[in-house]
Amino acid sequence: MNETFEKTALHRDYAASKLGMWLFLLTELGLFFGPLLLYVMHDIRHPEAFHAASSGLDRTIGFVNTLVLLTSSLTAALSVASIRRGKTELTLIFIFVTVTLGGIFLVNKYFEWTGKIAHGIYPGGDAFAGLPPGEAVFYGLYFFATGLHGLHVIAGMLVLAIAAVLTASGIVNKRDFVKLENAALYWHLVDIIWIFLFPFFYLIS
Amino acid sequence: MANEGAGYLGTEGRPGGISSWIFSTDHKRIGILYLVSILSFFVVGVSLGFLMRLELISHGPTIMEASTYNSVFTLHGVVMLFLFIIPAAPSIFGNFFLPIMIGANDVSFPRLNLLSWWFYMAGAALALATLALGPADTGWTFYAPYSLRTGTYVSLAVFAVFVLGLSSILTGINFVTTVHRLRAPGMGFWRLPLFVWAVYATAWIQIVATPILGVNLLLVIAERVFGIGVFDPAKGGDPILYQHLFWIYSHPAVYIMIIPGMGIISEIIPVFARKVIFGYRAIAYSSLGIAGVGSLVWGHHMFVSGSSYTAGVIFSFFTFLVAIPSAIKVFNWVGTLYKGSIVLGTPFLFALAFIFLFSIGGLTGLILGALSINVHLHDTYFVVSHFHYIKFGGAGFAFFAGLHYWLPKMTGRMYNTKVANWSCLVLFIGFNLLFFPMLILGIEGMPRRYFDYLPQYSTLQIVSIVGSWVLVTGLIMMFVNLIRGAFRGPRAPFNPWGSATLEWQIPSPPQRENFEKIPEVTKGPYDFRGLR
Ligand code: HEM
Ligand SMILES: [Cu+2]
């Protein structure tokens, strides 16, 4: 392939990059629509079991994690605001804080999961098999949805890390920052999904 | 315009090595990549279908055991749907022609486009890997609870479909963005060729519906590996919910298969009737209408799954409703033919075959949509016949029509039209011989997915089997003719059919850069004034 063949000019369509990203975020929402729909259907059928199971989750950790993610969304937005003003260093700091907060979220999640697993409450665990029918499904969905979300957190952290590298090397700069903007958008999505998961799993009882 | 060498097909006069193809970000080369790979998988799918038919030539196990038959129809379904008919029209013709038709030099995200093809190939490799390991035997629908229990490689097959879905989503995102961002000056939405409208509507369904299938498949994997219990009654789960999630995607997926085909037909009909298409806006809107209403009818696959009677009535009603936009298209095509000065070119013959077969598919669909009749016909050969009429007779024939219409542009060479016309006739006869008896067999009670049958079904089964031989003969005729034409045929002029859309106003094959200067569009896509 020679140079004229690579239509470099096309790669710089800002509005297209944004539109493409929004469409992609839409598909991510679709991905979580499935488990949430299953949740609602099962909740209608086993309301008591769902409430009982939900009260077994640690609300404090859930709440702390919600705050952590909300803050990280703010710092992600601030990183974009900084690059617009050309403040590269500040941008990098904000990205760093965002990624760190993502890490804290995962560490909390890890303790939450291992706590449940230690009690045998996980698909395949001893206690799981003995749970009343609805409660098993609740935890099955809990592990599936938060696990899938956790993978998105990891993906978001990677994307932000890449954006940081691009910023440091000047590829993302004051005039061309759509890559960072899209990374931040993705991070907001990760946040928004959690805002849905949190009340569903932690607050219904 | 003169024919200027091999255009995008060559690199500085040389054809270019394999890496100049599989790493190319040129939408035309990617279109060709899809063409070659999709048609190869189509051959695999046809062979499997052919073997299934052959199995039924006599009673008892003939060439395979019952369990093998189960695996063969599963793989046939997966290959035909996810590797052939879903990507065929959008990924081949959409990639190659959508940018040219709107006056652009490429899609919005060329590298993402290449990535989609790689995902497609990865998904295909995974799906075919199950063939060696132990193919799934669940049917292409992967219904729980059986799919959670069977010992075959269901997780791998399901993951393959997940990866193929990802490829489909990325293609959809690319097309929606391209249509919004890269239309040439003067190319308003109401001047878009109807094929572009169709691919655009399809792309939206791909974006909105595919993730739901994706997560459903992930849930199946999670059930199999960890046993999370959502579809497992023993743990309080419900397998019916699997069916809901599956069809929420898979009914709209039926439109992913057929709408681009309808778009192809809407291009061909006006060109060969030498007339402005009748009801341009009605056709464009009806694509959107199908995309919309089509998302509300999934329950018609579940009339006998134990859902409530009210739900059945509602889904039945919407099913009847969704027939309206499809019928609008048929009326508009026929209306375009009325008083046209018709040229009987090969693409046009395929288009006529399409209208006929698609109408049978649509009408049998209405029969199945009626609640009471459905109880009798559910899971019989009637259903098998119905969806082959829609997907093969409809989408498949439209795709063949598109091949005969656009290949001269893609390759710069012309096939033998006489052989092509004959192959169309043989295909048409073979198709009806193969699938029409299945309608009657279904009404008489022959269930689908059985590798054996009662003696009273013998005659019609044999007719149908002979039909599969005729059909395969037609396919061989058609492909040999097209392949010979592509490599050795006489040079095609830049506009052999006298079309008015933009792709025909540039050389055959197109230059690497589609347009030296982005054109200024001043007239509609079916305005034939000033053309021959
Ligand atoms: C040579 C052409 C073809 C032949 C001979 C053929 C034959 C068959 C047969 C015999 C079955 C199984 C019926 C049963 O026992 O239930 C079947 C199923 C099916 N076919 Fe085809 N077919 C052909 C082409 C196609 C095409 C082009 C498509 C799609 C575009 C397609 C899609 C399917 C699907 C989705 C199933 C259902 C699989 C399942 O039950 O899970 N077929 N076909
Ligand atoms: Cu349907």
Side-chain angles (χ1 to χ4, degrees):
Chain A
M1 278 171 294
N2 60 23
E3 275 312 304
T4 50
F5 210 24
E6 285 278 10
K7 289 125 192 141
T8 36
L10 282 176
H11 293 161
R12 300 198 174 275
D13 183 345
Y14 174 79
S17 302
K18 290 300 284 288
L19 177 58
M21 192 63 197
W22 278 107
L23 292 173
F24 180 69
L25 296 184
L26 192 63
T27 68
E28 291 279 15
L29 287 180
L31 201 64
F32 283 88
F33 172 79
L36 287 185
L37 188 70
L38 286 179
Y39 181 99
V40 172
M41 297 303 291
H42 282 302
D43 186 29
I44 292 171
R45 271 178 227 177
H46 316 280
E48 283 88 24
F50 262 49
H51 288 196
S54 166
S55 56
L57 292 180
D58 189 337
R59 274 196 195 173
T60 321
I61 298 194
F63 195 68
V64 168
N65 258 349
T66 309
L67 280 183
V68 167
L69 271 196
L70 279 176
T71 316
S72 74
S73 244
L74 177 68
T75 52
L78 287 174
S79 75
V80 177
S82 313
I83 197 76
R84 278 178 192 269
R85 296 204 190 83
K87 295 181 182 158
T88 313
E89 212 158 291
L90 199 59
T91 310
L92 288 173
I93 292 175
F94 278 126
I95 299 180
F96 179 76
V97 175
T98 313
V99 174
T100 311
L101 288 170
I104 293 175
F105 176 90
L106 286 179
V107 170
N108 279 340
K109 203 84 229 145
Y110 171 80
F111 282 121
E112 241 189 317
W113 272 38
T114 45
K116 282 279 165 263
I117 290 172
H119 289 93
I121 302 180
Y122 62 95
D126 334 318
F128 190 75
L131 287 175
E135 293 196 27
V137 171
F138 179 89
Y139 280 112
L141 274 173
Y142 164 77
F143 279 107
F144 183 83
T146 55
L148 193 61
H149 177 255
L151 289 178
H152 281 76
V153 175
I154 295 173
M157 287 164 68
L158 281 177
V159 171
L160 282 171
I162 294 172
V165 172
L166 293 180
T167 311
S169 60
I171 296 177
V172 167
N173 55 47
K174 193 177 170 180
R175 258 161 284 106
D176 184 9
F177 49 81
V178 71
K179 291 201 174 73
L180 174 60
E181 215 181 354
N182 279 346
L185 268 181
Y186 190 78
W187 192 257
H188 294 320
L189 171 95
V190 169
D191 187 21
I192 285 173
I193 292 173
W194 178 255
I195 301 288
F196 274 94
L197 295 185
F198 175 61
F200 268 99
F201 284 102
Y202 291 78
L203 300 183
I204 50 154
S205 57
Chain B
M1 244 170 276
N3 198 312
E4 295 157 33
Y8 78 99
L9 291 166
T11 318
E12 262 92 59
R14 287 174 290 118
I18 179 93
S19 66
S20 76
W21 286 88
I22 61 173
F23 298 120
S24 169
T25 55
D26 177 22
H27 69 101
K28 300 184 288 299
R29 288 199 163 200
I30 294 176
I32 299 288
L33 286 179
Y34 273 116
L35 177 73
V36 174
S37 32
I38 288 175
L39 286 183
S40 312
F41 298 126
F42 178 62
V43 172
V44 174
V46 168
S47 312
L48 293 170
F50 183 79
L51 290 177
M52 266 190 284
R53 286 281 78 208
L54 204 56
E55 159 57 34
L56 295 175
I57 199 164
S58 72
H59 297 282
T62 310
I63 55 168
M64 58 179 97
E65 292 300 322
S67 58
T68 318
Y69 187 85
N70 292 349
S71 294
V72 171
F73 73 65
T74 303
L75 201 61
H76 168 77
V78 168
V79 168
M80 282 300 192
L81 298 183
F82 296 110
L83 292 180
F84 171 59
I85 205 73
I86 289 180
S91 294
I92 299 174
F93 299 136
N95 257 316
F96 200 105
F97 290 110
L98 180 132
I100 310 185
M101 286 173 127
I102 63 174
N105 272 330
D106 208 323
V107 292
S108 278
F109 310 118
R111 278 176 295 181
L112 195 67
N113 203 12
L114 179 63
L115 186 67
S116 312
W117 181 74
W118 278 99
F119 275 137
Y120 171 80
M121 292 307 278
L126 290 173
L128 294 183
T130 66
L131 189 61
L133 294 168
D137 56 353
T138 57
W140 78 280
T141 46
F142 303 113
Y143 267 16
Y146 183 67
S147 62
L148 311 181
R149 303 256 150 75
T150 167
T152 51
Y153 277 78
V154 172
S155 297
L156 193 59
V158 160
F159 186 64
V161 174
F162 181 83
V163 174
L164 291 169
L166 199 57
S167 159
S168 179
I169 287 176
L170 295 182
T171 304
I173 289 178
N174 224 332
F175 287 167
V176 169
T177 312
T178 305
V179 170
H180 278 283
R181 293 296 305 160
L182 294 182
R183 279 170 290 122
M187 177 61 84
F189 259 82
W190 295 119
R191 277 193 187 147
L192 289 179
L194 285 163
F195 177 68
V196 176
W197 263 109
V199 171
Y200 177 76
T202 308
W204 273 109
I205 313 178
Q206 284 171 296
I207 293 169
V208 175
T210 316
I212 298 172
L213 175 74
V215 77
N216 205 19
L217 298 174
L218 290 183
L219 283 161
V220 168
I221 297 179
E223 281 280 20
R224 280 181 71 90
V225 179
F226 304 111
I228 59 171
V230 283
F231 300 135
D232 184 352
K235 294 175 183 147
D238 184 356
I240 300 289
L241 288 177
Y242 173 85
Q243 295 189 18
H244 277 292
L245 281 185
F246 183 82
W247 288 112
I248 288 178
Y249 163 77
S250 292
H251 188 86
V254 174
Y255 300 116
I256 298 181
M257 303 170 204
I258 191 72
I259 294 179
M262 293 166 156
I264 296 172
I265 300 302
S266 305
E267 292 301 317
I268 291 174
I269 296 274
V271 169
F272 289 86
R274 317 283 334 137
K275 248 180 86 192
V276 176
I277 190 139
F278 185 77
Y280 171 95
R281 286 195 184 212
I283 294 183
Y285 276 129
S286 63
S287 288
L288 298 178
I290 292 177
V293 184
S295 58
L296 300 174
V297 303
W298 77 87
H300 63 208
H301 298 273
M302 302 170 56
F303 285 152
V304 298
S305 299
S307 352
S308 78
Y309 178 69
T310 327
V313 172
I314 294 171
F315 281 124
S316 179
F317 172 72
F318 277 119
T319 303
F320 284 125
L321 213 59
V322 81
I324 295 174
S326 308
I328 287 178
K329 289 188 197 262
V330 173
F331 294 142
N332 280 305
W333 293 323
V334 177
T336 308
L337 297 181
Y338 181 67
K339 286 196 173 165
S341 41
I342 288 170
V343 187
L344 283 175
T346 313
F348 184 72
L349 295 181
F350 273 99
L352 286 185
F354 163 92
I355 294 182
F356 183 84
L357 300 174
F358 177 71
S359 300
I360 295 187
L363 292 172
T364 50
L366 282 178
I367 296 174
L368 285 169
L371 212 42
S372 50
I373 306 177
N374 181 280
V375 175
H376 177 67
L377 293 176
H378 183 83
D379 260 353
T380 66
Y381 263 37
F382 193 88
V383 177
V384 176
S385 178
H386 154 71
F387 68 65
H388 280 93
Y389 267 98
I390 291 278
K391 289 188 246 190
F392 193 177
F397 271 69
F399 173 69
F400 297 157
L403 278 180
H404 286 92
Y405 181 59
W406 277 316
L407 262 191
K409 174 59 65 182
M410 298 169 88
T411 63
R413 289 175 187 274
M414 198 67 188
Y415 48 84
N416 180 326
T417 47
K418 214 177 249 164
V419 178
N421 291 349
W422 278 108
S423 68
C424 180
L425 185 69
V426 176
L427 278 172
F428 183 77
I429 294 172
F431 183 92
N432 285 300
L433 267 183
L434 168 56
F435 291 113
F436 200 84
M438 287 194 186
L439 284 178
I440 306 169
L441 282 168
I443 294 171
E444 289 176 354
M446 170 76 206
R448 71 187 280 204
R449 294 178 171 171
Y450 274 58
F451 92 126
D452 203 357
Y453 50 90
L454 298 173
Q456 68 257 36
Y457 300 131
S458 294
T459 319
L460 286 172
Q461 285 283 12
I462 302 291
V463 174
S464 165
I465 292 164
V466 172
S468 76
W469 301 342
V470 179
L471 183 72
V472 168
T473 312
L475 286 173
I476 293 172
M477 273 173 77
M478 179 178 82
F479 282 127
V480 168
N481 182 38
L482 286 178
I483 292 169
R484 281 186 54 160
F487 287 99
R488 300 228 192 89
R491 295 260 173 219
F494 77 97
N495 192 0
W497 320 115
S499 316
T501 38
L502 281 176
E503 79 273 27
W504 297 105
Q505 317 311 321
I506 60 174
S508 299
Q511 298 298 305
R512 282 198 224 142
E513 201 77 17
N514 302 339
F515 303 98
E516 273 143 38
K517 211 174 120 267
I518 295 298
E520 177 96 40
V521 180
T522 52
K523 57 180 193 155
Y526 308 109
D527 184 343
F528 296 104
R529 278 169 298 182
L531 291 158
R532 95 184 145 80

